[in-house]
Amino acid sequence: MIFDSYEAFRAANFAAKVCILGSGPAGTTIARKLGAAGIPVVVLEAGSREFSDDSQDFYRGVTVGDPYFDLDTTRLRFMGGSSNHWAGWCRVLDSQDFEPKAWAPDTGWPISRAEIEPYLPEVQDMLELPDFRPDVPISDDIRWVQLIKSPAVRFGEKFADELDRSRNVAVVLSTYATELTGDGKRVTGAKLWSNGQNAGSFTADYFIVCTGGLENSRLLLWSNQRSNGGVVPKATALGRYWMEHPTFEGGNAILADYSEFEVDATNEAFFSPTLAAMERLEIMNFGIRLIETPYPGIKSVIADLACTVPEMAEWVSYQLSQNLRCAAQLYVAWEQAPLASNQIRLSKTDVDHAGVPRIELHWKKSELERRTLIEGLRLFGKTLVRKDLGRVRIADWLASGGDYPTNEELAGHHHMGGTRMGTDVTKSVVDANSKVHGMDNLYVGGSSVFCTSGECNPTTTIVALACRLGDHLGKLIGV
């Protein structure tokens, strides 16, 4: 059932055991799992069925540190959440992403990749994906990886009819929790705001926060402040270890034969490092996106090379006589190490229309991230040389130690961390089952529970973790 207002929902006398906050990929996935298990669940969605400027305004905030996107544009606040601007790029975190890295403090998950693999067929069905293919070694250091570009499923559209027909799931639009109340052991209720006004309180046996990789921390920080620690009793790490995927054009390449690499339907190929290479260089995971440059573009690249890297230009000139096919741009997105200093805070001066403090995002890239970028490009370049497949030229700003450009992608709009999963309550917020430490009935879904970010787009892993959480809660709660 889908209700356009909290008043209509109340009139229906629907008795929910579980309250899910947010209807994005995590919230919708968990709701479907619980509904299929016969458990009555209500999903409170802050926005309506469509985008609106008024709804987006609640996401406004500021970023302190490195340049970043406006916070009210990097997420979407209506039914289906940020799946509404998802590009559909799919890959699951690598097995190595779940393991601790000795050179990067606070890495490692309390679960392994194997624990989400049983849910991948279900994820593939939801996201309309073919089977994932194994990585292909290019060298001892570099592997070809598959990044599937799916039809970009909009959860609010794909599952709307199913949710509307469901007798066990109620979706309430234009309604959200401004804060949760708790006694340090359980969430005792939620204070609601609906259609522009206070809507009273709501109670349920279980609460699952799925409001997004920024808003999850915001809601819990505010709730904890208001309840004197009654919602997140072990809150040292709350809002901390926030991560993104920095994304920049790192250089270009001249290739002897572009067909040497398997490309996707848009003629792009993707590469990542092996674990051995990461360990040897003490860098994080990264992904290189190879984008073919049309043949005429080679001339300008060669002219540049002749002035700056003569020995490379000689190889290029030889390859031209051997029917050199193309050049390529090298875009790099890479893993950001978890740092407690990268965090979400509540503004002391600015609130939204419901009186909730806005976000103050503190975010900076570290030296490890920069080293990962440049060493990753060098690693890729050395692989091409050893295989005589091509030559890489690293961008001037990067080779010279210059500042990051401000006129490029900046990052992936991938918000991870803030309520991370772990066993150490001083460095995590939820346990291996996504339950908030010390609380009996409060869970968190979405990428805010990520312990590390890996190099790939997070949606596939988000949905896999949501399937796992839905399955866990279905068995726990029963009917």
Side-chain angles (χ1 to χ4, degrees):
M1 296 167 280
I2 298 179
F3 300 91
D4 289 322
S5 70
Y6 184 61
E7 291 79 2
F9 167 72
R10 287 186 63 187
N13 292 317
F14 182 93
K17 268 195 166 185
V18 180
C19 178
I20 298 175
L21 308 178
S23 70
T28 294
T29 299
I30 297 167
R32 293 178 69 241
K33 293 280 285 188
L34 295 179
I39 297 169
V41 53
V42 60
V43 180
L44 303 182
E45 167 52 48
S48 64
R49 296 175 190 261
E50 305 291 340
F51 174 91
S52 77
D53 290 332
D54 287 344
S55 184
Q56 286 300 124
D57 182 76
F58 281 83
Y59 280 176
R60 277 197 297 111
V62 297
T63 301
V64 178
D66 286 351
Y68 194 60
F69 311 110
D70 291 340
L71 300 187
D72 57 333
T73 63
T74 190
R75 296 287 87 174
L76 291 177
R77 193 175 185 265
F78 62 102
M79 187 172 174
S82 291
S83 71
N84 289 297
H85 68 185
W86 178 44
W89 291 23
C90 296
R91 180 175 170 82
V92 188
L93 285 176
D94 295 326
S95 296
Q96 64 200 34
D97 294 328
F98 289 84
E99 301 301 322
K101 299 175 177 64
W103 63 94
D106 300 324
T107 51
W109 292 55
I111 63 172
S112 67
R113 160 72 184 263
E115 294 189 49
I116 64 172
E117 286 179 356
Y119 300 99
L120 294 185
E122 188 174 352
V123 173
Q124 288 169 232
D125 180 62
M126 292 179 68
L127 301 184
E128 302 175 18
L129 304 176
D131 291 340
F132 289 102
R133 293 173 47 200
D135 301 340
V136 178
I138 303 298
S139 69
D140 291 340
D141 295 331
I142 295 292
R143 57 204 165 99
W144 173 92
V145 299
Q146 182 190 36
L147 199 158
I148 301 174
K149 297 170 184 173
S150 82
V153 171
R154 310 303 185 210
F155 277 63
E157 297 175 5
K158 178 171 181 174
F159 299 110
D161 288 344
E162 175 191 327
L163 294 172
D164 204 20
R165 292 192 305 269
S166 175
R167 306 327 305 168
N168 293 321
V169 179
V171 179
V172 186
L173 302 176
S174 301
T175 302
Y176 70 102
T178 57
E179 66 180 270
L180 301 175
T181 57
D183 59 13
K185 293 184 178 179
R186 296 181 59 84
V187 170
T188 55
K191 296 183 178 180
L192 303 187
W193 189 268
S194 182
N195 287 309
Q197 61 185 358
N198 189 322
S201 297
F202 180 79
T203 59
D205 292 343
Y206 295 87
F207 286 84
I208 310 172
V209 179
C210 300
T211 58
L214 288 167
E215 293 294 314
N216 280 357
S217 292
R218 181 192 184 192
L219 174 61
L220 292 177
L221 283 165
W222 179 235
S223 299
N224 218 39
Q225 181 175 316
R226 295 276 289 174
S227 64
N228 296 314
V231 172
V232 185
K234 302 177 188 302
T236 304
L238 180 57
R240 295 183 178 272
Y241 300 100
W242 192 84
M243 301 167 289
E244 246 278 17
H245 287 136
T247 306
F248 292 89
E249 183 177 3
N252 47 43
I254 297 290
L255 302 172
D257 185 359
Y258 199 81
S259 63
E260 187 73 26
F261 306 119
E262 181 177 345
V263 297
D264 63 15
T266 59
N267 217 27
E268 297 178 356
F270 300 87
F271 304 88
S272 287
T274 62
L275 177 59
M278 293 168 59
E279 289 176 335
R280 186 178 75 250
L281 296 172
E282 296 191 345
I283 59 176
M284 306 303 287
N285 206 349
F286 62 83
I288 290 180
R289 177 185 174 197
L290 199 71
I291 306 176
E292 184 177 12
T293 302
Y295 186 85
I298 298 176
K299 293 181 179 179
S300 62
V301 175
I302 292 174
D304 192 23
L305 289 174
C307 296
T308 58
V309 194
E311 66 276 13
M312 190 184 296
E314 290 177 11
W315 179 88
V316 170
S317 297
Y318 170 77
Q319 292 296 338
L320 276 173
S321 68
Q322 304 299 311
N323 299 316
L324 177 73
R325 181 178 170 193
C326 72
Q329 296 168 291
L330 302 177
Y331 281 87
V332 189
W334 66 99
E335 178 179 20
Q336 184 171 29
L339 295 175
S341 57
N342 284 331
Q343 62 181 299
I344 295 161
R345 298 181 188 173
L346 298 178
S347 172
K348 290 181 169 58
T349 59
D350 197 9
V351 299
D352 65 21
H353 295 159
V356 179
R358 296 188 185 276
I359 285 175
E360 189 176 275
L361 175 63
H362 292 250
W363 181 64
K364 287 183 70 69
K365 297 180 285 293
S366 73
E367 284 305 310
L368 178 55
E369 275 92 64
R370 192 178 186 94
R371 190 168 84 242
T372 295
L373 171 59
I374 194 164
E375 292 297 338
L377 285 165
R378 287 172 177 162
L379 201 66
F380 185 64
K382 289 175 182 176
T383 292
L384 294 188
V385 169
R386 284 197 298 269
K387 298 288 186 179
D388 203 34
L389 296 173
R391 298 294 187 270
V392 166
R393 179 179 182 276
I394 294 175
D396 290 340
W397 68 268
L398 182 55
S400 65
D403 293 336
Y404 287 95
T406 57
N407 59 346
E408 293 192 16
E409 289 185 58
L410 299 182
H413 296 279
H414 303 156
H415 304 163
M416 298 160 286
T419 67
R420 68 199 308 253
M421 183 184 290
T423 56
D424 184 344
V425 297
T426 67
K427 296 182 178 181
S428 63
V429 176
V430 303
D431 66 14
N433 290 317
S434 293
K435 183 169 72 71
V436 172
H437 293 308
M439 297 295 283
D440 294 335
N441 67 340
L442 178 58
Y443 293 78
V444 181
S447 53
S448 68
V449 307
F450 282 24
C451 305
T452 51
S453 58
E455 57 82 16
C456 65
N457 304 60
T459 302
T460 315
T461 306
I462 289 172
V463 177
L465 287 170
C467 287
R468 178 176 177 267
L469 176 54
D471 198 39
H472 170 75
L473 288 172
K475 295 173 182 175
L476 176 71
I477 301 170
V479 290

